[in-house]
Amino acid sequence: MKILCVCGLGQGTSLILRMNVETVLRELGVEADVENTDVSAASSENTDYIVTSNELAESLTSSSAKIIIVNNYFDNNEIKSALSEHLS
Protein backbone atom coordinates (compact mmCIF):
# COMPACT_ATOMS: atom_id res chain seq x y z
CA MET A 1 0.00 0.00 0.00
CA LYS A 2 1.28 3.44 -0.91
CA ILE A 3 0.17 6.61 0.89
CA LEU A 4 1.00 10.13 -0.27
CA CYS A 5 0.93 13.06 2.18
CA VAL A 6 0.19 16.29 0.35
CA CYS A 7 0.48 20.00 1.16
CA GLY A 8 0.65 23.09 -1.02
CA LEU A 9 4.43 23.12 -1.56
CA GLY A 10 5.36 19.53 -0.68
CA GLN A 11 8.06 20.47 1.78
CA GLY A 12 7.60 21.27 5.47
CA THR A 13 3.96 20.64 6.21
CA SER A 14 3.61 17.47 4.15
CA LEU A 15 6.82 16.15 5.74
CA ILE A 16 5.33 16.68 9.21
CA LEU A 17 2.11 15.01 8.05
CA ARG A 18 4.14 12.10 6.65
CA MET A 19 5.98 11.63 9.96
CA ASN A 20 2.68 11.71 11.88
CA VAL A 21 1.01 9.29 9.43
CA GLU A 22 3.97 6.91 9.82
CA THR A 23 3.65 7.12 13.62
CA VAL A 24 -0.08 6.40 13.49
CA LEU A 25 0.38 3.51 11.04
CA ARG A 26 2.94 1.93 13.41
CA GLU A 27 0.41 2.25 16.26
CA LEU A 28 -2.26 0.61 14.07
CA GLY A 29 0.12 -2.14 12.96
CA VAL A 30 -0.28 -1.20 9.30
CA GLU A 31 2.64 -1.37 6.88
CA ALA A 32 2.72 1.16 4.05
CA ASP A 33 5.10 3.11 1.87
CA VAL A 34 4.52 6.74 2.89
CA GLU A 35 5.84 9.68 0.87
CA ASN A 36 5.18 13.42 0.76
CA THR A 37 4.79 15.82 -2.13
CA ASP A 38 3.05 18.99 -3.32
CA VAL A 39 -0.49 19.18 -4.60
CA SER A 40 0.39 19.64 -8.28
CA ALA A 41 2.71 16.59 -8.38
CA ALA A 42 0.25 14.45 -6.41
CA SER A 43 -2.26 14.38 -9.28
CA SER A 44 0.12 12.40 -11.47
CA GLU A 45 1.36 10.00 -8.76
CA ASN A 46 0.27 6.36 -8.75
CA THR A 47 -0.78 5.82 -5.14
CA ASP A 48 -3.51 4.06 -3.16
CA TYR A 49 -4.31 6.89 -0.74
CA ILE A 50 -3.70 10.62 -0.53
CA VAL A 51 -3.80 12.29 2.89
CA THR A 52 -4.40 16.03 2.64
CA SER A 53 -6.59 18.93 3.78
CA ASN A 54 -10.13 19.51 2.60
CA GLU A 55 -9.20 22.55 0.49
CA LEU A 56 -6.32 20.78 -1.30
CA ALA A 57 -8.49 17.71 -1.92
CA GLU A 58 -10.57 19.84 -4.29
CA SER A 59 -7.48 20.08 -6.54
CA LEU A 60 -7.04 16.30 -6.62
CA THR A 61 -10.33 15.21 -8.15
CA SER A 62 -8.53 13.78 -11.20
CA SER A 63 -6.50 11.36 -9.04
CA SER A 64 -7.66 7.75 -8.85
CA ALA A 65 -6.38 7.48 -5.26
CA LYS A 66 -8.76 7.49 -2.32
CA ILE A 67 -8.56 10.86 -0.58
CA ILE A 68 -8.31 10.97 3.22
CA ILE A 69 -9.05 14.39 4.68
CA VAL A 70 -7.08 15.62 7.70
CA ASN A 71 -7.60 19.22 8.74
CA ASN A 72 -4.94 19.41 11.47
CA TYR A 73 -1.70 17.79 10.29
CA PHE A 74 -0.33 17.95 13.86
CA ASP A 75 -3.22 16.10 15.52
CA ASN A 76 -2.35 12.41 15.64
CA ASN A 77 -5.79 11.58 17.08
CA GLU A 78 -7.49 13.09 14.02
CA ILE A 79 -5.03 11.33 11.71
CA LYS A 80 -5.61 8.03 13.50
CA SER A 81 -9.37 8.41 13.24
CA ALA A 82 -9.22 9.29 9.53
CA LEU A 83 -6.83 6.45 8.67
CA SER A 84 -8.76 3.91 10.72
CA GLU A 85 -11.98 4.84 8.94
CA HIS A 86 -10.49 4.44 5.47
CA LEU A 87 -8.03 1.59 5.94
CA SER A 88 -10.35 -0.85 7.72
Side-chain angles (χ1 to χ4, degrees):
M1 169 181 12
K2 183 175 178 182
I3 299 174
L4 203 55
C5 299
V6 175
C7 72
L9 298 176
Q11 298 177 349
T13 309
S14 64
L15 178 60
I16 290 168
L17 178 60
R18 174 184 162 190
M19 292 167 39
N20 288 337
V21 165
E22 289 172 334
T23 297
V24 168
L25 289 174
R26 274 193 302 275
E27 292 173 5
L28 295 173
V30 176
E31 290 188 28
D33 178 25
V34 185
E35 297 179 9
N36 61 293
T37 190
D38 65 277
V39 69
S40 59
S43 300
S44 60
E45 291 278 337
N46 185 16
T47 187
D48 299 306
Y49 296 94
I50 292 176
V51 182
T52 191
S53 68
N54 192 37
E55 66 181 22
L56 292 178
E58 295 172 8
S59 301
L60 297 166
T61 55
S62 64
S63 174
S64 61
K66 293 181 182 179
I67 307 293
I68 300 174
I69 304 295
V70 173
N71 292 307
N72 184 347
Y73 291 2
F74 299 93
D75 184 348
N76 281 6
N77 289 327
E78 181 184 356
I79 294 168
K80 189 174 198 174
S81 176
L83 291 177
S84 295
E85 179 181 328
H86 288 85
L87 301 180
S88 59

